[in-house]
């Protein structure tokens, strides 16, 4: 049966066929999208839309926290940073604080950009190994 919404079908297919690394990248991008929507809502004094989008960003951060492998030291550091971002979003939601929202956006953007570089480096290494016939 054909989907009534081709864009939704594409998004569903993209998620179901993505690697774990690509899914993490999608989570970061989604979080940034909701942070941006929350900023617009704060600026236009739309409290309901602000609250909804901050909660969506928090849900994504919570999902990122759940996926951490706590056997690795870096995961403990990431857990602290995610927790910090989540607490800042609570403060943003209570006080409509655009500075704190910008701080969280910068933090998530840095994570996203670093993650994107890691995916690209991993692909290059896989292609290099594959190209050598190994």
């Amino acid at each position: 049966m054909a989907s009534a919404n081709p864009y939704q079908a594409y998004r569903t297919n993209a998620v179901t066929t993505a690697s774990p690394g690509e899914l993490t990248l999608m989570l970061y991008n989604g979080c940034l999208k909701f942070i941006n929507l929350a900023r617009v809502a704060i600026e236009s004094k739309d409290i309901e839309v602000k609250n909804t989008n901050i909660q969506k960003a928090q849900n994504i951060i919570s999902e990122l926290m759940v996926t951490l492998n706590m056997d690795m030291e870096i995961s403990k550091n990431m857990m602290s940073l995610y927790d910090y971002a989540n607490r800042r979003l609570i403060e943003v939601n209570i006080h409509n604080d655009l500075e704190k929202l910008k701080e969280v956006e910068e933090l998530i953007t840095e994570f996203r950009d670093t993650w994107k570089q890691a995916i690209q480096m991993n692909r290059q290494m896989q292609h290099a190994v594959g190209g050598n016939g190994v």
Side-chain angles (χ1 to χ4, degrees):
M1 182 172 126
S3 174
N5 183 342
Y7 177 70
Q8 184 61 39
Y10 167 79
R11 286 181 50 195
T12 300
N13 189 46
V15 169
T16 57
T17 61
S19 71
E22 290 166 332
L23 286 173
T24 300
L25 189 60
M26 288 178 189
L27 287 172
Y28 284 135
N29 284 330
C31 188
L32 291 169
K33 173 183 134 185
F34 296 127
I35 287 170
N36 186 50
L37 291 171
R39 176 186 7 279
V40 171
I42 289 170
E43 290 168 347
S44 64
K45 302 197 183 329
D46 189 336
I47 302 307
E48 186 177 342
V49 171
K50 173 209 64 171
N51 180 56
T52 298
N53 285 292
I54 287 178
Q55 286 180 354
K56 287 179 180 182
Q58 287 178 293
N59 288 339
I60 289 174
I61 292 172
S62 294
E63 182 64 27
L64 290 164
M65 292 169 92
V66 168
T67 64
L68 290 172
N69 176 352
M70 295 311 290
D71 294 334
M72 301 176 67
E73 189 62 34
I74 192 167
S75 293
K76 294 172 185 160
N77 295 334
M78 289 299 294
M79 180 67 80
S80 295
L81 291 167
Y82 287 150
D83 184 57
Y84 176 78
N86 222 358
R87 285 185 283 119
R88 288 307 239 188
L89 286 173
I90 291 168
E91 295 170 14
V92 170
N93 210 0
I94 293 168
H95 302 291
N96 297 322
D97 190 327
L98 288 171
E99 282 303 309
K100 289 178 183 172
L101 188 63
K102 184 177 183 196
E103 179 184 358
V104 174
E105 180 182 27
E106 289 171 355
L107 191 61
I108 300 299
T109 298
E110 190 172 323
F111 294 158
R112 191 261 328 259
D113 293 349
T114 301
W115 192 257
K116 192 173 181 178
Q117 283 182 319
I119 290 172
Q120 290 170 342
M121 289 172 57
N122 188 42
R123 282 187 187 143
Q124 288 172 351
M125 287 175 29
Q126 287 177 342
H127 290 302
V129 169
N132 291 332
V134 174

